[in-house]
PDB file of all heavy atoms in Angstrom:
ATOM      1  N   LEU E   9    -171.858  73.172 126.601  1.00  0.00           N
ATOM      2  CA  LEU E   9    -170.373  72.765 126.704  1.00  0.00           C
ATOM      3  C   LEU E   9    -169.910  72.498 125.354  1.00  0.00           C
ATOM      4  O   LEU E   9    -168.767  72.620 125.018  1.00  0.00           O
ATOM      5  CB  LEU E   9    -170.282  71.601 127.629  1.00  0.00           C
ATOM      6  CG  LEU E   9    -170.559  71.865 129.160  1.00  0.00           C
ATOM      7  CD1 LEU E   9    -170.283  70.618 129.961  1.00  0.00           C
ATOM      8  CD2 LEU E   9    -169.624  72.978 129.611  1.00  0.00           C
ATOM      9  N   VAL E  13    -172.751  72.619 114.593  1.00  0.00           N
ATOM     10  CA  VAL E  13    -173.657  73.242 113.597  1.00  0.00           C
ATOM     11  C   VAL E  13    -173.060  73.133 112.223  1.00  0.00           C
ATOM     12  O   VAL E  13    -171.938  72.560 111.974  1.00  0.00           O
ATOM     13  CB  VAL E  13    -173.856  74.780 114.011  1.00  0.00           C
ATOM     14  CG1 VAL E  13    -174.399  74.853 115.370  1.00  0.00           C
ATOM     15  CG2 VAL E  13    -172.481  75.538 113.808  1.00  0.00           C
ATOM     16  N   SER E  24    -173.005  82.727 132.199  1.00  0.00           N
ATOM     17  CA  SER E  24    -173.541  83.320 133.410  1.00  0.00           C
ATOM     18  C   SER E  24    -172.490  83.357 134.567  1.00  0.00           C
ATOM     19  O   SER E  24    -171.587  82.553 134.506  1.00  0.00           O
ATOM     20  CB  SER E  24    -174.772  82.543 133.824  1.00  0.00           C
ATOM     21  OG  SER E  24    -174.441  81.215 134.243  1.00  0.00           O
ATOM     22  N   LEU E  33    -166.256  91.450 131.823  1.00  0.00           N
ATOM     23  CA  LEU E  33    -166.408  90.136 131.282  1.00  0.00           C
ATOM     24  C   LEU E  33    -165.777  90.012 129.936  1.00  0.00           C
ATOM     25  O   LEU E  33    -165.924  90.970 129.151  1.00  0.00           O
ATOM     26  CB  LEU E  33    -167.975  89.738 131.191  1.00  0.00           C
ATOM     27  CG  LEU E  33    -168.254  88.361 130.667  1.00  0.00           C
ATOM     28  CD1 LEU E  33    -169.596  87.881 131.404  1.00  0.00           C
ATOM     29  CD2 LEU E  33    -168.440  88.140 129.246  1.00  0.00           C
ATOM     30  N   PHE E  47    -163.897  90.078 122.980  1.00  0.00           N
ATOM     31  CA  PHE E  47    -164.598  91.237 123.453  1.00  0.00           C
ATOM     32  C   PHE E  47    -164.341  91.476 124.941  1.00  0.00           C
ATOM     33  O   PHE E  47    -164.119  90.471 125.670  1.00  0.00           O
ATOM     34  CB  PHE E  47    -166.103  91.135 123.344  1.00  0.00           C
ATOM     35  CG  PHE E  47    -166.598  90.983 121.851  1.00  0.00           C
ATOM     36  CD1 PHE E  47    -167.047  89.757 121.432  1.00  0.00           C
ATOM     37  CD2 PHE E  47    -166.538  92.104 121.028  1.00  0.00           C
ATOM     38  CE1 PHE E  47    -167.479  89.579 120.140  1.00  0.00           C
ATOM     39  CE2 PHE E  47    -167.013  91.924 119.710  1.00  0.00           C
ATOM     40  CZ  PHE E  47    -167.496  90.725 119.211  1.00  0.00           C
ATOM     41  N   ARG E  60    -168.878  89.126 112.079  1.00  0.00           N
ATOM     42  CA  ARG E  60    -170.053  88.226 112.330  1.00  0.00           C
ATOM     43  C   ARG E  60    -170.276  87.979 113.830  1.00  0.00           C
ATOM     44  O   ARG E  60    -171.200  87.223 114.171  1.00  0.00           O
ATOM     45  CB  ARG E  60    -169.790  86.923 111.542  1.00  0.00           C
ATOM     46  CG  ARG E  60    -169.817  87.133 110.094  1.00  0.00           C
ATOM     47  CD  ARG E  60    -169.493  85.827 109.311  1.00  0.00           C
ATOM     48  NE  ARG E  60    -168.130  85.379 109.605  1.00  0.00           N
ATOM     49  CZ  ARG E  60    -167.876  84.300 110.429  1.00  0.00           C
ATOM     50  NH1 ARG E  60    -168.883  83.704 111.020  1.00  0.00           N
ATOM     51  NH2 ARG E  60    -166.683  83.855 110.559  1.00  0.00           N
ATOM     52  N   ASP E  66    -175.599  91.552 130.418  1.00  0.00           N
ATOM     53  CA  ASP E  66    -176.708  91.888 131.219  1.00  0.00           C
ATOM     54  C   ASP E  66    -176.301  91.808 132.708  1.00  0.00           C
ATOM     55  O   ASP E  66    -176.188  90.750 133.226  1.00  0.00           O
ATOM     56  CB  ASP E  66    -177.903  90.934 131.003  1.00  0.00           C
ATOM     57  CG  ASP E  66    -179.192  91.397 131.735  1.00  0.00           C
ATOM     58  OD1 ASP E  66    -179.086  91.998 132.831  1.00  0.00           O
ATOM     59  OD2 ASP E  66    -180.273  91.127 131.228  1.00  0.00           O
ATOM     60  N   ARG E  97    -161.926  84.557 136.750  1.00  0.00           N
ATOM     61  CA  ARG E  97    -162.581  83.281 136.710  1.00  0.00           C
ATOM     62  C   ARG E  97    -163.016  82.935 135.253  1.00  0.00           C
ATOM     63  O   ARG E  97    -163.646  83.732 134.627  1.00  0.00           O
ATOM     64  CB  ARG E  97    -163.894  83.295 137.556  1.00  0.00           C
ATOM     65  CG  ARG E  97    -163.627  83.479 139.017  1.00  0.00           C
ATOM     66  CD  ARG E  97    -163.196  82.169 139.653  1.00  0.00           C
ATOM     67  NE  ARG E  97    -162.541  82.430 140.944  1.00  0.00           N
ATOM     68  CZ  ARG E  97    -162.240  81.593 141.859  1.00  0.00           C
ATOM     69  NH1 ARG E  97    -162.561  80.226 141.541  1.00  0.00           N
ATOM     70  NH2 ARG E  97    -161.664  81.863 142.998  1.00  0.00           N
ATOM     71  N   GLY E  99    -164.841  80.294 132.573  1.00  0.00           N
ATOM     72  CA  GLY E  99    -165.757  79.227 132.372  1.00  0.00           C
ATOM     73  C   GLY E  99    -165.014  78.070 131.759  1.00  0.00           C
ATOM     74  O   GLY E  99    -163.905  78.082 131.384  1.00  0.00           O
ATOM     75  N   THR E 105    -168.187  73.312 116.935  1.00  0.00           N
ATOM     76  CA  THR E 105    -167.727  72.602 115.682  1.00  0.00           C
ATOM     77  C   THR E 105    -168.660  73.046 114.598  1.00  0.00           C
ATOM     78  O   THR E 105    -169.921  72.825 114.686  1.00  0.00           O
ATOM     79  CB  THR E 105    -167.686  71.108 115.868  1.00  0.00           C
ATOM     80  OG1 THR E 105    -166.942  70.717 116.982  1.00  0.00           O
ATOM     81  CG2 THR E 105    -167.172  70.414 114.612  1.00  0.00           C
TER      82      THR E 105
END
Side-chain angles (χ1 to χ4, degrees):
Chain E
L9 291 181
V13 300
S24 64
L33 184 146
F47 299 109
R60 296 177 294 103
D66 186 328
R97 293 283 163 167
T105 303

